[in-house]
Amino acid sequence: MKKRTLFIIVVLIVLSKNLIAQDSKEERLSNFIEEVLEAFPVIPGVSIAISNNNETLYTNGFGKYDIENNFKCDSNTNFYIASTTKSFVGLLAALLDNEGKINLNEQITSYKPFKNFSNTDLFKNITVLDLITHQSGIDNHYLSFLLAYSGDYTNETILKLIEEETFKNEKGKAFAYSNFGYYLFDVLIKEELGLSWKGLLHEKVFKPLDMQNTTAYISRAKNVAKPYISVFPEQLKTIHLQKSDATMHAAGGLVSNANDIGKFLSFFLSKGMYNNETLVSKELIESTYAKHISAAHDGIKVFDGKAYGKGWRIGNFNKYNVIYHFGGYSGYYSHLSFLPEQNLGVAVFINHEFGLPVANLIANYTYDLYLGNDSNLKKHEKTLEKKLPKLLKSAQKSQVAHEKKQAARRWELSLEKQNYIGHYYNEKFGTAIVTFNEDKNYIEIGNLKAVCTPFPQLDTMRVELIPNSGTVIKFIIENNEAISISYGGEIFKKQK
């Protein structure tokens, strides 16, 4: 009896220590994130999920997802997750291949719409797999503008642009990260199978994993974090560019939250299981993050990217193998990653234009904290204390200089402002509406709307239809009349 009592006491002590250790990790992480938001106060909100192969270990939200209404982030707050959508679509491609509905190794000219094009030469020797591994060797200048930003298109317009405006890359069939392959994959399954990637993901992934709030329709999402911009905390404002259902595309078109994404990570870490039930084979899951092409991830010093699979990047985090994807869009940043051998995954969502350094710092701190790499935590804390404030101060300095330069500019117009007002049409981009007078100067193209500001050349104006991406638009004048505008090398003719 005494031995049994002693055994129970020992077990309780061990369990107690484990619980304290877990609570300590969660508390340390929460404190770190709060300190990050203090050091980088332009970030409105953060949401995080941590998973292993059995469960979601931790979810939480920090800050606000809606400043104007004082709505606080939590694990149910939905975020637009941008290009991390590719990890879902890569899984979908593997599932469709496994079901025999498509063959990833088949040339796309075996499928609609490509086999029906009048000239299929450009699309030959490109497989379906090439599309989702960014090695098709072809691209198109128009589709991202329409599908990701303006939303002003028809299915017929997209098919025509693919057939007539697609071109070969200079390097040929080599890795070149872009959205284009995923656009083509979407078109292929729509035309060949008569099915939507949006509905297929709901049926094959979201529903089986009980991801109740993950959707490809922004109109159906609730409690969605607003996208914010500004490098000055007191000047934070919602970005005018908002997502619509028409701009939720296969390369970046999902809304999700920490609770749902934790299940998705757990599904991958368990290699196809959910609630102790095998939903997908281990081999299929592993195939999605197996190397298909070498792909250094230059420019983002977070993980040491080495290769690309089906919607996943493959690389190293310190001494560990890491599978990951990031996503960025005006006012949003998302980080999705897992360490398969260490049985640990992390997702971080942020609703600010400047989310990249913050999300990735939080993710790296989380990994080192949960893996017990205490020596690395000091490095992350130093980044928090010194590098983040310095980075923000540098961005603020650049913004002040930019605004000073803008304020010094004056309109250089040969006509009265009312002469520039009107609807300007381009068959590839759609209609640009110019509202141009003393009180309000705007240009709108579909879902896009921007303030027009002066530019120091005759009959021009500067616009940011895509935030932080300035473009000069030139009016073409004939007989004292604005007859068209030139935008991005394209001519929009004024409608009578």
Side-chain angles (χ1 to χ4, degrees):
M1 190 70 178
K2 290 182 179 179
K3 288 184 178 179
R4 179 175 175 79
T5 302
L6 180 61
F7 173 76
I8 292 172
I9 293 172
V10 170
V11 169
L12 289 173
I13 290 172
V14 171
L15 288 174
S16 176
K17 285 183 177 180
N18 286 339
L19 287 172
I20 290 170
Q22 182 64 26
D23 289 340
S24 177
K25 286 179 182 177
E26 292 181 357
E27 186 177 357
R28 287 182 71 181
L29 177 59
S30 296
N31 289 339
F32 182 79
I33 295 174
E34 293 286 4
E35 289 171 6
V36 167
L37 293 182
E38 288 180 17
F40 213 79
V42 295
I43 299 296
V46 174
S47 191
I48 185 170
I50 307 168
S51 296
N52 64 17
N53 64 335
N54 290 318
E55 61 184 335
T56 302
L57 300 171
Y58 174 71
T59 60
N60 208 344
F62 302 83
K64 298 174 183 178
Y65 74 85
D66 183 334
I67 295 173
E68 293 79 9
N69 292 300
N70 199 34
F71 293 157
K72 295 181 179 180
C73 284
D74 60 26
S75 57
N76 289 309
T77 302
N78 286 307
F79 288 77
Y80 171 63
I81 66 171
S83 281
T84 52
T85 298
K86 293 181 176 72
S87 302
F88 289 84
V89 175
L91 173 61
L92 175 61
L95 291 169
L96 293 175
D97 177 76
N98 186 60
E99 294 169 5
K101 292 182 178 177
I102 60 171
N103 184 340
L104 291 179
N105 295 312
E106 191 78 44
Q107 292 187 30
I108 61 175
T109 48
S110 298
Y111 298 100
K112 298 176 184 176
F114 309 100
K115 68 180 182 182
N116 296 330
F117 287 165
S118 58
N119 184 358
T120 61
D121 289 347
L122 183 65
F123 303 96
K124 285 181 179 178
N125 301 316
I126 298 171
T127 66
V128 182
L129 183 60
D130 289 335
L131 299 182
I132 59 173
T133 55
H134 305 287
Q135 53 183 327
S136 67
I138 55 177
D139 210 340
N140 190 299
H141 289 317
Y142 299 99
L143 265 60
S144 274
F145 184 86
L146 298 174
L147 295 172
Y149 295 103
S150 81
D152 185 12
Y153 62 85
T154 64
N155 190 54
E156 291 72 25
T157 301
I158 298 301
L159 292 176
K160 184 178 180 182
L161 287 173
I162 291 171
E163 183 173 12
E164 297 179 0
E165 301 297 335
T166 300
F167 59 89
K168 285 186 178 181
N169 289 329
E170 290 183 6
K171 294 183 179 180
K173 286 189 66 176
F175 180 85
Y177 182 88
S178 79
N179 288 341
F180 185 55
Y182 283 74
Y183 299 152
L184 294 191
F185 178 72
D186 172 24
V187 168
L188 185 151
I189 60 175
K190 185 187 300 178
E191 296 295 313
E192 182 68 28
L193 305 179
L195 299 170
S196 163
W197 71 275
K198 297 180 178 183
L200 286 168
L201 274 181
H202 177 79
E203 172 196 339
K204 297 179 182 298
V205 180
F206 307 154
K207 193 174 179 180
L209 296 181
D210 195 30
M211 299 174 69
Q212 298 181 14
N213 294 291
T214 302
T215 178
Y217 297 92
I218 193 76
S219 61
R220 300 178 187 176
K222 297 178 181 178
N223 303 322
V224 180
K226 289 184 177 181
Y228 288 92
I229 193 170
S230 182
V231 292
F232 295 97
E234 66 278 5
Q235 296 177 14
L236 279 173
K237 60 182 179 180
T238 305
I239 292 180
H240 62 266
L241 176 58
Q242 303 280 322
K243 276 289 175 180
S244 67
D245 286 346
T247 59
M248 298 287 277
H249 53 86
L254 291 180
V255 167
S256 191
N257 62 29
N259 286 334
D260 277 4
I261 215 72
K263 297 172 185 176
F264 186 67
L265 286 170
S266 229
F267 175 67
F268 269 85
L269 287 164
S270 67
K271 299 186 178 180
M273 298 186 69
Y274 181 69
N275 280 346
N276 295 318
E277 180 185 353
T278 299
L279 302 182
V280 176
S281 73
K282 171 185 174 183
E283 291 74 21
L284 187 145
I285 291 295
E286 289 179 338
S287 77
T288 65
Y289 57 85
K291 174 183 174 180
H292 285 289
I293 187 169
S294 295
H297 197 183
D298 299 323
I300 299 181
K301 304 300 182 184
V302 183
F303 301 138
D304 185 11
K306 303 288 187 181
Y308 203 90
K310 298 169 187 167
W312 288 106
R313 287 187 180 271
I314 303 145
N316 300 112
F317 169 61
N318 298 331
K319 58 185 178 182
Y320 313 115
N321 293 323
V322 62
I323 311 302
Y324 69 101
H325 215 294
F326 305 146
Y329 190 78
S330 299
Y332 294 104
Y333 187 79
S334 57
H335 171 120
L336 187 62
S337 63
F338 63 97
L339 311 180
E341 286 83 14
Q342 282 63 46
N343 189 25
L344 190 64
V346 175
V348 183
F349 303 142
I350 288 178
N351 59 329
H352 190 272
E353 183 84 356
F354 221 148
L356 183 154
V358 172
N360 293 327
L361 174 62
I362 291 171
N364 287 0
Y365 182 90
T366 302
Y367 278 127
D368 283 325
L369 175 65
Y370 276 73
L371 293 172
N373 299 328
D374 292 343
S375 60
N376 288 344
L377 297 181
K378 296 294 183 183
K379 178 182 69 175
H380 302 315
E381 289 164 359
K382 187 176 181 180
T383 297
L384 160 64
E385 294 168 5
K386 296 185 177 181
K387 291 186 179 180
L388 277 189
K390 185 177 180 181
L391 181 63
L392 182 58
K393 187 173 289 187
S394 176
Q396 290 172 339
K397 184 178 179 181
S398 296
Q399 182 63 27
V400 168
H402 171 72
E403 290 176 357
K404 185 177 180 180
K405 183 179 180 181
Q406 289 285 96
R409 291 175 175 173
R410 297 292 179 265
W411 289 104
E412 300 286 345
L413 303 175
S414 62
L415 307 173
E416 295 295 323
K417 281 192 173 184
Q418 63 266 23
N419 292 301
Y420 299 90
I421 296 170
H423 290 61
Y424 298 79
Y425 177 73
N426 177 281
E427 64 175 357
K428 298 166 187 172
F429 284 106
T431 300
I433 303 171
V434 177
T435 305
F436 209 47
N437 53 50
E438 291 298 331
D439 300 319
K440 187 172 63 174
N441 307 315
Y442 288 119
I443 183 168
E444 298 178 58
I445 304 178
N447 198 44
L448 299 168
K449 183 176 182 179
V451 174
C452 309
T453 58
F455 190 76
Q457 289 181 9
L458 186 63
D459 291 321
T460 62
M461 60 184 182
R462 183 185 183 275
V463 300
E464 289 188 13
L465 284 166
I466 300 170
N468 287 334
S469 181
T471 304
V472 175
I473 290 179
K474 181 172 178 58
F475 289 93
I476 298 170
I477 310 297
E478 284 187 9
N479 299 322
N480 291 321
E481 181 183 359
I483 63 166
S484 59
I485 59 175
S486 175
Y487 169 69
E490 294 287 332
I491 300 299
F492 291 68
K493 292 183 178 181
K494 193 174 186 180
Q495 304 298 289
K496 299 296 184 180

